[in-house]
Structures are given as structure tokens and as C-alpha cells.
Amino acid sequence: MSATVDAAEVRRLTRELLAAHPPATTGRTDFLEARFDAGLAWVHYPVGLGGLDAPRSLQPVVDAGLAAAGAPDNDPRRIGIGLGMAAPTILGFGTDEQKQRFLRPLWVGDEVWCQLFSEPGAGSDLAALATRAVRAEDGTGDWVVDGQKVWTSSAHVARWAILIARTDPDVPKHRGISYFICDMTDPGVEVRPLRQITGEAEFNEVFLTGVRIPDNRRLGPVGEGWKVAQTTLMNERVSIGGARIPREGGMIGTVARTWREQPALRTHDLHQRMLTLWVEAEVARLTGERLRQQLVAGQPGPEGSGMKLAFARLNQEISGLEVELLGDEGLLYSDWTMRRPELVDFTGRDAGYRYLRSKGNSIEGGTSEVLLNIVAERVLGLPVEPRNDKDAAWKDLAR
Amino acid sequence: MTPQTEAHAPDLLYSETEEDLRSAVRSLLADRADAPTVIASVESGTPYDQRLWDSLAAGIGAAGLLVPEKLGGQGAGHREAAVVVEELGRSVVPAPFLTSAVVATDVLLALGADDGPAGELLDGLAAGRKVAVLAVPFATAPADGAAALAGTLDRTVTGVADAVAADVLLVPTGEGLYAVETGGDGVTVQPLVALDLTRPLATVTLSGVTGTRLAEPGPAAAAVTRGLLSGAGLLASEQLGLAEWCLTETVRYTRERHQFNRPVGSFQSLKHRMAQLWLQVVSARAAARNAADALAAGSPDAPLAVAVAQAYCSKVAVHAAEECVQLHGGIGMTWEHPAHLYLKRAKADSIAYGSAGRHRDAVAELMELPAP
Ligand SMILES: Cc1cc2nc3c(=O)[nH]c(=O)nc-3n(C[C@H](O)[C@H](O)[C@H](O)COP(=O)(O)OP(=O)(O)OC[C@H]3O[C@@H](n4cnc5c(N)ncnc54)[C@H](O)[C@@H]3O)c2cc1C
């Protein structure tokens, strides 16, 4: 971490960027590229890779300065997988060449990423995956990948994917996995929409048939992909934002507004339930705020592991209450047409959509049950359950 | 009026000074108030250990935390007091800190009188020479503070917490607030058999007493409300400390206790319950700190912060204590194991200074989310 970069320096650089590329007259992509090159994309990244080697806590200073000037942002919702998962993994395990090639277009949003991890037979037990990668017989060192992935968000808009595949079936499951960057435009990659509970297809099935991946798109050593994947998964779960959420900033705000504006919908039962959830949402907001303050003070606690659990449950309960509160209107749904959206938009849709989509909050990115196991074992130090899959070769495990 | 948005950016962490204070209180309690000692003392009929209270109140200076230095106190605030309350909750020690050093003290401070009888009394409280309690039922919510100003000095008040330890009662009446010495004629303090063994309750009867008038009805109502608000707000820290003890002990016990040839803490159904509890404790900490910080800052957000903390933390404490009893199995049902002290304190706390439901009503009012 560089000692010379402080808040004043970051503010100066932000002003300089804005002066050289006034948002009003600069194209969106040009501005974002200039921002990356100025080291103001993610200030804690290395110089030359969109950062300044500065403390992470200075990022809000940049963001606030740019937002106030009306600068375009890179729509983190659309490129969430790239930002939250691919980027830290490439930074941690990639070669210089890979970092130079991938980070800039990823951050700017020119290239969307997806995550080819889950398979029909391997979800929570991700290390059980069966997609195979074998060396091509032509001596190029290339890999040939065959298998099927599932529930892949954004695969239909993604240019690149982070992919884990089995390279050695004869060793225990965690040891025979390697980690690759997969070109989604390559022959042999087939993306089929997978319609979901909301009617639309935000995620997909991805079939990989003889897909060739050059060895220079491997991340980390052969057989150590599980270790690399741990970095990805850890980042997936701690990506709780640096921004302060205002009171009633989440889904509870929508319900509270409806309550205030439509007295005819009020009942005593709903009132008590809403107030209970209002309090819980406010407490979750404060808990997130406390976590943010801990991070800024350089004393991160384990609280982050719990926030995804809390928000999943709250989103589900609040959106469920909202449907009931709306009564007649709650019986309706905006549109069952099968669509393929580019991003998940909780606020722009109706209550029924929110209710259905929030069911995914406790499944995607690790189910709530699996997260509770993690809290129990890693935070509370409770003993692990006896298991029999650690030492046996993957090929000998029951599937 | 529009519903409240946050008026004050809260500091939800603990400062170094606060951590130092915590260590001092914790080591004093570890030395002098471990669980067997607490159980023995509640059985002795003299729940308060005067020497322990002297060390805490005067030795550490806890009694005067809220009192400004010029009035003989420490000039600290609710954030520091909350840390003391947290530690007292963690060891369910009988000590009139919340009732005297927080509620009664804040009532007197809110009167704004530096000299005269109120100032004198504050000086005694801050030095730990005297204990005062507000003579209202322990269940009184801050929102009912103004309504407590009624009737005359001749009255019976039931369920007054820590009255048995008090030298002075602060009595709200229709004519204002009075200070009444418990040792005087016409004052009887009749101990009640309380659910919570570690916080004595009593019925106070006043008949033909003379008190010292401290304030007119208007300022008295505001002061009583302020005192109750502080009490409710810092009670959340007591609930936090209590819940944290219950979780820690339950985790420790279930890691060691074996059944079916494995530690019972390795069974997933138990692990998930403890993980859920952990998340609630983490959340309770944010809520309790927010209330303490808002009170310390005198923020207009304080009534909402307190209502949110009470509506949340009282449930967490009861849940933690109930899980503690259940996951200890038979041992959890014994008198010898301290779990019952925590359950009794948690359940009583869920009524003290207003139930969760009463605090949710306060949220409804402050946020303009009215009942049908
Ligand atoms: C909206 C959405 C988007 C997604 N996007 C992606 C993506 O982009 N890329 C990707 O790779 N994956 C994605 N996923 C997949 C997601 O990561 C998996 O669904 C998830 O990890 C769970 O795996 P599974 O579906 O196989 O369920 P299973 O693992 O089969 O679980 C079934 C049930 O068993 C429970 N369970 C499993 N193991 C345990 C255990 N050890 N203890 C207790 N309970 C257990 C689970 O909690 C669940 O309730 C997405 C999923 C959703 C819903």
C-alpha cells in the first residue's frame, strides 16, 4: 500500500480526470477508459491496472466526487460477476499478460463475464463437478473441454467466462480441478436459455463440446483450481458495498410508501408484520453500516458472512408481505412473457416479480444452509460433520 | 411532517477508551461476581454486594459516567455507559447501575439544575455515595413518561426496580417531580418476589411523606421521558451482553458435550441454530450501539434509534437465553447452572421500559406508518 496516496491526492486526481474529460462532452466508454487509466477505477488495485495501490477506503471519495459531477458509471449490476468475482481472481492468480488483457475491458463494461461453475450434479458440492478438461493430442498444450454447466447468469450476454473443470479424476475431488478463462464465442460453446420461476430467462444452460482453451488462459497451476475458486467464492460473498444505504433504502421503502399512500389497504395483522420487518430492515441496514465502518477502520470482522443471509431472508419476507398488502393488485403479475434480461432489476418491477425473484437470494451464490454451515464452522468454531469424500478419488465417489 | 430520515451519522464502533473501560469492568466482575457468587447472593436475600457496587461505582467511576465533570462526574456519556451495561448484562450482576446511574441520573440531568437539591443529589449519585431510582413501574415505556406525571405524593407504586437499594426515590406527581428519602417516615419499600432474581422489584408506598420538589410538571415530564428513553436505549446493551454470553456458553458447551459418539455441536440442526443466533447478536450490536450513540449525541434520531433497538434486542436476548437452556439439555434446567439467571433476566428485560410491541408502536408513530 502506498503511503503517498491519501484522500487529498485522490480528490486531486478525481478533479484532474473531470477537467480533462468533462462528463458532459465525453462519451461514456471514453470516460470510463480514462478513469481506468487514471487509476480511479478501483483505487486499491495496482498502478497500471486501474488502481493507485491506495487503501480501499478511499474508493468512496472517488465515487462521491464523480457522482456529484454526473460522471457515467459502469453499471455494476450488469457486470457484477466480472467485477465481483472474475477481477479479484485474475488479480490474485493471473499472469501479467492476463491482467493486462482482461481487467480494463471488464471494468469499463465492454466485456461482460459469466461464471461457469455449477453443474446439474454439482451445486453446493461444487468440487464434485464432472466437466472434463484434457490436453489436446496435437501437442499445442491446449485444453479440450466437455461438459454441461447450469444456472449460468448472463451467459447469453457474456464475452468471457470463469470456468472450473476436472483435469484429474484419479485424485480426491478438490485436488483434480483446474481453473480457466473460457471464450464464450468459441465453437463448441452453446448457451440455451433456462426459463425461471419469474417467467424470464436470466440464467442459462451452457453446453461445452470439444471447446479448445489455450493453456495461457489457465488461471493458477494445473490441479489447483479449487484454491483459485475459493478466492472467487469468497469475493462473491463479501461484495457488500461501500456505500451507505439510507433509511428505507431497500425493499421495505416500497412497502412503507404503499402503506402511507393507500390507507384502504391497511389491516392490523399487516401492520404488526410490517413494523416487525421495518425494524429488522433498519437493524440490517445498521449492521451493514457497522461492517462498513469496521472495514474503513481497518478492523474487518466476520459480520460480512452473515449479511447475505440476513438480506436474503428479509427480501423474501418483505416482498411476500408486499404481495399480501396489495390485495387485489397482488393477485396480478405484470408479464409472463419469456424474456432474456441483461440485468436483475428488483426495483423496476412489480411486487409479484420481487416476491418470486427474491426466492433466488437464498440459493444463488451459496445457499443459506451452506452459509450457515460456514458461519457455524469458521466463525463459531463448531466441529465439522464427519464426511467420507475427502480422501477418495473423485472417480470412485457415488454420483 | 415527513417521516424521519437519519439526522445524525452514527459511530457504531467502540473507541479505545470504551474498550479500556470494558476491560476494567469485566475483570472486576470476573473477580467478584462469577456465576456461583451471583447465585449465592440472590439466595442470601441481600442481592446487592455493597463492596462490589462501591468498586464499580466509585472505584471505576461508573456511577458518574453520565454526569459532567463540573458536577462531580466523569463527563463521559451514553456510549461509555452502554459498555458498562453490556458487561453487567454479560454477568447478570445485581447492581443498580441502569436504574440509578442511567435513568435517575438522566432525569436529574435533564432538569438542567446545576445547584440546589437536584445538583446535590447528582453529586451524591456521581460519587457512588447514593443510589436513586425513578418511582415508576419497571415496565413503563418512554412514550408513557409524560403520563406518569399524575396523582399526589401519597401513593403506591408497584414493580419499582432496585427500590430496595435506593436511598432516594424520584417520584413523579401531578404537581411535579419530588425527591423522597427512603429512610424517612411514611415510606415503605416492600420487596416483591420477582421473576428476575438478579434485579429486585418492590412495591413503594408513600403516605404522608414530605419530599423535596425538584421540578414543575412541564420540565418534570420531559425529564422523566428522557430518563426512560435512556433506560430503554441502554437496556438494549444489557440484552446484547446477555445474548452474547448465552451464545458463547452454548457454543463452548456443545463443542464439548458428546452424544452418539460425536460432539453435539457437530449436528447441523444445532449448528444452524447457533449460526442464526450469531447473526442476531451481530445485528443486536449494531442496533444497541446506534441507540447509545444517538443518546450520547442528543440526536433528534434518539427516540427512533431507541425504539428500533428495543423492538429488536429484547427478542434476541430472550431467544438466546431460551436456546441456551435448550441446547444445554438437562443441565440447562438445573438451578446450579447459571442459564436460568439469564433466561429470567432476558424475559424480565423484554417487559422493562416497554415491550417490543410498545416500541413498534413508537416506530409506527415516528415513521408515520399508522395503524388502520
Ligand atoms: C438466480 C440464480 C443464479 C445463479 N447464477 C449462477 C451462475 O451465474 N453461475 C453458477 O455457476 N451458478 C449459478 N447459480 C447456481 C447456484 O450457485 C446453485 O444453485 C447453488 O450453489 C446451489 O446448488 P444446487 O442448486 O445444486 O442445490 P443443491 O446443492 O442440490 O441443494 C439442494 C438443497 O440442499 C441444501 N443443501 C445442500 N448441501 C447442503 C449441506 N451441506 N448442508 C445443508 N443443506 C445443504 C441446499 O441448501 C438446498 O436447499 C445460480 C442460482 C440461482 C438460483
Side-chain angles (χ1 to χ4, degrees), chain B residues 4-346:
Chain B
Q4 287 195 14
T5 50
E6 203 177 22
H8 158 84
D11 170 3
L12 303 174
L13 306 181
Y14 298 103
S15 70
E16 240 170 84
T17 330
E18 287 161 20
E19 291 295 2
D20 291 346
L21 177 62
R22 181 200 302 287
S23 310
V25 175
R26 192 179 288 190
S27 64
L28 174 71
L29 298 180
D31 276 358
R32 307 258 291 275
D34 62 359
T37 310
V38 172
I39 293 182
S41 86
V42 298
E43 283 181 307
S44 71
T46 49
Y48 295 109
D49 173 345
Q50 188 61 42
R51 279 182 45 240
L52 175 66
W53 174 246
D54 289 344
S55 308
L56 182 70
I60 294 181
L65 281 176
L66 295 186
V67 180
E69 279 167 281
K70 65 173 177 145
L71 298 179
Q74 306 292 316
H78 296 80
R79 294 177 53 91
E80 291 81 1
V83 171
V84 175
V85 175
E86 220 180 280
E87 293 306 311
L88 290 169
R90 199 189 303 277
S91 36
V92 286
V93 179
F97 182 81
L98 187 63
T99 45
S100 179
V102 175
V103 177
T105 299
D106 245 338
V107 170
L108 293 169
L109 284 170
L111 296 175
D114 289 3
D115 41 23
E120 225 167 86
L121 185 47
L122 268 175
D123 190 59
L125 295 186
R129 280 194 313 272
K130 282 193 173 169
V131 167
V133 303
L134 181 63
V136 299
F138 196 31
T140 311
D144 301 326
L149 272 285
T152 66
L153 211 46
D154 280 287
R155 59 166 56 196
T156 298
V157 191
T158 54
V160 181
D162 290 338
V164 292
D167 304 294
V168 178
L169 300 165
L170 304 182
V171 188
T173 74
E175 269 147 49
L177 186 68
Y178 286 83
V180 175
E181 304 265 342
T182 50
D185 287 341
V187 182
T188 48
V189 176
Q190 181 65 41
L192 297 165
V193 179
L195 174 68
D196 176 6
L197 294 155
T198 58
R199 181 135 49 206
L201 297 177
T203 296
V204 170
T205 308
L206 307 177
S207 136
V209 298
T210 47
T212 311
R213 195 152 88 135
L214 301 175
E216 303 278 322
V224 168
T225 301
R226 167 69 187 184
L228 292 170
L229 193 67
S230 296
L234 296 207
L235 182 65
S237 289
E238 175 170 311
Q239 289 158 331
L240 165 65
L242 188 160
E244 203 173 33
W245 183 91
C246 291
L247 173 62
T248 308
E249 274 309 295
T250 306
V251 167
R252 194 185 60 69
Y253 180 76
T254 56
R255 281 167 53 146
E256 283 162 14
R257 175 75 173 168
H258 280 64
Q259 296 290 336
F260 304 98
N261 200 32
R262 33 193 281 218
V264 293
S266 69
F267 289 102
Q268 193 180 60
S269 62
L270 269 55
K271 286 162 78 170
H272 281 192
R273 283 162 67 168
M274 287 184 266
Q276 304 270 21
L277 201 51
W278 171 81
L279 183 54
Q280 290 174 12
V281 170
V282 162
S283 308
R285 188 182 308 286
R289 281 273 91 192
N290 187 49
D293 188 71
L295 287 166
S299 158
D301 212 29
L304 184 72
V306 168
V308 165
Q310 269 307 301
Y312 189 80
C313 297
S314 59
K315 283 204 285 192
V316 173
V318 171
H319 182 213
E322 288 178 348
E323 290 288 75
C324 182
V325 169
Q326 174 67 21
L327 300 191
H328 275 77
I331 286 171
M333 279 304 284
T334 63
W335 188 266
E336 223 176 307
H337 193 279
H340 68 98
L341 297 177
Y342 288 82
L343 180 63
K344 292 162 188 170
R345 171 69 74 87

Side-chain angles (χ1 to χ4, degrees), chain A residues 375-386:
Chain A
V375 167
E377 288 165 18
R378 308 219 186 124
V379 179
L380 296 178
L382 286 163
V384 297
E385 285 191 279

Side-chain angles (χ1 to χ4, degrees), chain A residues 81 115-120 122-125 150-153 196 202-203 357 360 363-370 373, chain B residues 268 272:
Chain A
I81 293 174
Q115 180 194 23
L116 293 174
F117 278 24
S118 304
E119 298 183 6
S124 302
D125 185 10
V150 73
W151 308 304
T152 317
S153 309
Q196 63 204 51
E202 167 202 311
F203 55 30
R357 179 57 184 84
I363 300 172
E364 59 196 338
T367 67
S368 291
E369 289 76 16
V370 166
N373 287 346
Chain B
Q268 193 180 60
H272 281 192

Side-chain angles (χ1 to χ4, degrees), chain A residues 80-373:
Chain A
I81 293 174
L83 285 178
M85 295 179 244
T89 313
I90 292 169
L91 186 69
F93 292 90
T95 60
D96 285 344
E97 202 188 337
Q98 288 168 339
K99 292 179 205 170
Q100 290 297 340
R101 165 63 189 84
F102 292 114
L103 290 177
R104 192 168 182 260
L106 180 160
W107 188 86
V108 169
D110 277 350
E111 293 180 347
V112 173
W113 286 67
C114 69
Q115 180 194 23
L116 293 174
F117 278 24
S118 304
E119 298 183 6
S124 302
D125 185 10
L126 186 56
L129 59 88
T131 291
R132 289 295 313 274
V134 295
R135 291 278 190 185
E137 278 164 13
D138 58 10
T140 51
D142 288 1
W143 297 87
V144 179
V145 180
D146 287 277
Q148 186 197 338
K149 297 287 176 175
V150 73
W151 308 304
T152 317
S153 309
S154 306
H156 53 293
V157 288
R159 173 67 177 81
W160 297 101
I162 42 178
L163 162 75
I164 46 180
R166 186 158 308 281
T167 43
D168 187 352
D170 298 323
V171 294
K173 63 181 183 182
H174 293 95
R175 300 222 305 266
I177 294 172
S178 301
Y179 197 119
F180 301 95
I181 294 172
C182 174
D183 187 337
M184 293 297 285
T185 63
D186 270 349
V189 178
E190 191 200 341
V191 177
R192 291 188 204 153
L194 188 55
R195 199 172 184 200
Q196 63 204 51
I197 198 167
T198 53
E200 60 190 27
E202 167 202 311
F203 55 30
N204 305 268
E205 294 179 297
V206 179
F207 295 85
L208 304 162
T209 318
V211 178
R212 277 185 92 100
I213 299 185
D215 195 48
N216 66 9
R217 295 233 201 88
R218 177 164 46 78
L219 272 181
V222 174
E224 290 189 24
W226 184 249
K227 226 173 75 192
V228 185
Q230 289 301 97
T231 303
T232 311
L233 297 175
M234 247 162 49
N235 278 288
E236 179 170 17
R237 285 158 198 167
V238 301
S239 56
I240 171 123
R244 300 191 63 209
I245 313 169
R247 180 170 290 156
E248 292 193 358
M251 276 193 196
I252 195 70
T254 316
V255 177
R257 266 191 304 283
T258 306
W259 187 270
R260 290 185 193 112
E261 285 161 13
Q262 302 193 53
L265 298 176
R266 298 172 189 164
T267 72
H268 285 285
D269 167 53
L270 289 168
H271 191 227
Q272 283 309 311
R273 287 161 58 200
M274 177 189 61
L275 289 173
T276 301
L277 289 172
W278 195 97
V279 166
E280 286 175 0
E282 171 73 356
V283 172
R285 181 184 81 83
L286 291 166
T287 311
E289 171 63 16
R290 190 173 136 81
L291 175 66
R292 195 190 66 86
Q293 292 182 3
Q294 280 180 302
L295 288 174
V296 170
Q299 32 174 282
E303 280 84 345
S305 349
M307 293 309 290
K308 179 178 181 290
L309 278 165
F311 281 118
R313 186 185 65 81
L314 271 172
N315 281 348
Q316 292 173 355
E317 291 198 18
I318 294 169
S319 59
L321 180 86
E322 192 188 359
V323 170
E324 284 180 66
L325 171 62
L326 290 171
D328 290 347
E329 196 190 321
L331 291 169
L332 307 177
Y333 192 75
S334 56
D335 179 9
W336 288 114
T337 319
M338 147 82 171
R339 304 183 311 143
R340 304 187 80 186
E342 281 206 18
L343 50 85
V344 185
D345 183 7
F346 268 101
T347 45
R349 305 283 297 278
D350 63 10
Y353 174 86
R354 276 193 281 282
Y355 172 69
L356 296 171
R357 179 57 184 84
S358 67
K359 295 294 167 241
N361 292 163
S362 53
I363 300 172
E364 59 196 338
T367 67
S368 291
E369 289 76 16
V370 166
L371 293 182
L372 286 171
N373 287 346

